[in-house]
Amino acid sequence: MLIPNQKIDLPLLKESGITLYVKREDTIHPHISGNKYRKLKYNLVEAKRQGHDTLLTFGGAFSNHIAATAYAAKEAGLKTIGVIRGEELTEKWQENPTLKQASEHGMQFHFVPRDAYREKTSPDFVKNLEDKLGKFYLVQEGGTNALAIKGCEEILTEEDGNIDFICCAVGTGGTLSGIINSANAHQTVLGFPALKGGFLRGEISKFTQNNNWDIISDYHFGGYAKINSELVDFINNFKKKTGIPLDPVYTGKMLFGIFDLINKGFFKSGTQILAIHTGGLQGIKGMNEVLKRKNLPLLDL
């Protein structure tokens, strides 16, 4: 059940005169997390409308999208194929918590080398997959397409109308695009990318005509799924003080960025901020395995 916007009560916010709410999209469904639920909603309807019985999508070893798609499609009565980046996982995917969970929900895997995976959007690559695996309804990596954005446009509600800044972590840009489309004219939408690179502005501009948004690129911690002890400490302390768990790839980095910007005076006193919790908590177990190997502190479960 979706928890209402949760007001955060921490000393820095009182001192700065800023009000921060977290929209608990992570609670929208017990297995289909946050924005993945929104992105898949209308794609599943369309797949069935077109008469497909199988959905194919792409992702890495710890992909929230892979885990969510497996469950959502099973719930909708569809089979799934996950095209997974990295042939090295072929013989040991059972050791990976995300892939093991997806398999338990019926997903079949097709592992491809990393260099070949880069071609996943090319028509020839997709045609080769269809020749090998049979017909399918295609959802690209991260789930971003026009139907996904339609679903993400439903994240904001009337109760969010008085918010000044809406903040959201960014992967492929689909969730942020939907939020930009549904935000009021007086609101500013800030995207916090989890990846390096300047491609996002162009991608987002394909799906929205509004200009009340910006990208804050300083909090990716070195790139996708990169993490250090400072971020681990922030996530663990935030959970301890607020009761809200954060994922280390997306939402944790966004909240870290919001508090750093507050410290730096980016937001003026009296500002109301809404942070979108996009879920992704299933990835914590896998990230802890990485942290163990690096002898770094672990995320609280």
Side-chain angles (χ1 to χ4, degrees):
M1 185 176 69
L2 189 61
I3 293 175
N5 292 350
Q6 190 167 337
K7 186 178 180 182
I8 305 304
D9 184 19
L10 292 174
L12 176 62
L13 298 168
K14 290 181 180 178
E15 293 163 10
S16 58
I18 288 169
T19 304
L20 172 63
Y21 299 94
V22 175
K23 182 173 280 290
R24 297 295 306 275
E25 287 283 294
D26 59 306
T27 64
I28 196 170
H29 188 282
H31 299 289
I32 310 167
S33 187
N35 63 333
K36 303 307 179 188
Y37 179 94
R38 305 288 189 180
K39 287 182 170 184
L40 289 166
K41 177 180 177 180
Y42 293 111
N43 274 290
L44 292 170
V45 171
E46 180 63 14
K48 296 179 85 169
R49 188 193 70 79
Q50 292 183 15
H52 289 280
D53 65 1
T54 302
L55 189 150
L56 179 142
T57 195
F58 303 83
F62 301 108
S63 167
N64 297 322
H65 174 67
I66 287 291
T69 300
Y71 193 95
K74 178 184 177 182
E75 202 172 60
L78 296 170
K79 295 179 286 187
T80 49
I81 300 170
V83 179
I84 308 299
R85 181 179 64 246
E87 273 188 320
E88 71 275 8
L89 295 165
T90 304
E91 302 299 327
K92 56 181 182 180
W93 63 262
Q94 295 93 337
E95 301 169 18
N96 179 287
T98 299
L99 298 182
K100 187 170 182 291
Q101 178 183 321
S103 175
E104 288 168 356
H105 295 146
M107 180 173 278
Q108 301 296 309
F109 299 127
H110 179 70
F111 297 93
V112 299
R114 291 170 184 273
D115 56 346
Y117 187 85
R118 297 189 190 102
E119 303 300 316
K120 61 186 177 296
T121 58
S122 77
D124 287 344
F125 185 85
V126 173
K127 178 65 167 59
N128 286 337
L129 287 176
E130 197 168 64
D131 291 342
K132 287 180 183 177
L133 305 172
K135 292 188 70 64
F136 50 76
Y137 180 87
L138 175 68
V139 176
Q140 278 292 352
E141 185 177 39
T144 292
N145 59 19
L147 290 173
I149 288 158
K150 178 183 177 182
C152 290
E153 288 172 359
E154 298 174 358
I155 291 174
L156 296 182
T157 63
E158 286 186 14
E159 71 171 321
D160 307 321
N162 293 325
I163 295 295
D164 302 302
F165 284 87
I166 301 162
C167 299
C168 184
V170 187
T172 54
T175 304
L176 191 73
S177 298
I179 291 169
I180 292 167
N181 288 343
S182 57
N184 293 328
H186 73 273
Q187 296 175 316
T188 300
V189 180
L190 298 179
F192 291 75
L195 303 87
K196 286 182 178 179
F199 67 94
L200 279 170
R201 290 184 185 274
E203 289 299 306
I204 293 165
S205 295
K206 293 177 184 176
F207 295 107
T208 182
Q209 303 301 313
N210 298 333
N211 57 14
N212 58 331
W213 59 278
D214 201 1
I215 297 293
I216 307 293
S217 302
D218 301 328
Y219 302 102
H220 53 65
F221 283 79
Y224 182 73
K226 297 291 179 66
I227 187 172
N228 61 23
S229 57
E230 184 182 19
L231 183 59
V232 172
D233 289 344
F234 172 82
I235 290 171
N236 287 342
N237 286 331
F238 190 84
K239 182 181 179 183
K240 182 178 180 181
K241 293 173 181 176
T242 68
I244 302 175
L246 303 175
D247 87 285
V249 177
Y250 292 104
T251 309
K253 294 179 179 182
M254 172 194 64
L255 263 300
F256 182 98
I258 290 171
F259 276 90
D260 190 55
L261 291 175
I262 291 170
N263 264 317
K264 292 175 177 176
F266 181 90
F267 303 104
K268 66 182 182 181
S269 180
T271 296
Q272 294 194 73
I273 304 169
L274 179 66
I276 311 297
H277 193 319
T278 49
L281 300 175
Q282 67 80 29
I284 291 176
K285 287 183 180 179
M287 182 59 74
N288 274 343
E289 293 300 316
V290 175
L291 293 170
K292 278 182 190 176
R293 293 197 294 269
K294 295 183 176 181
N295 293 316
L296 290 171
L298 302 185
L299 294 153
D300 294 338
L301 292 171

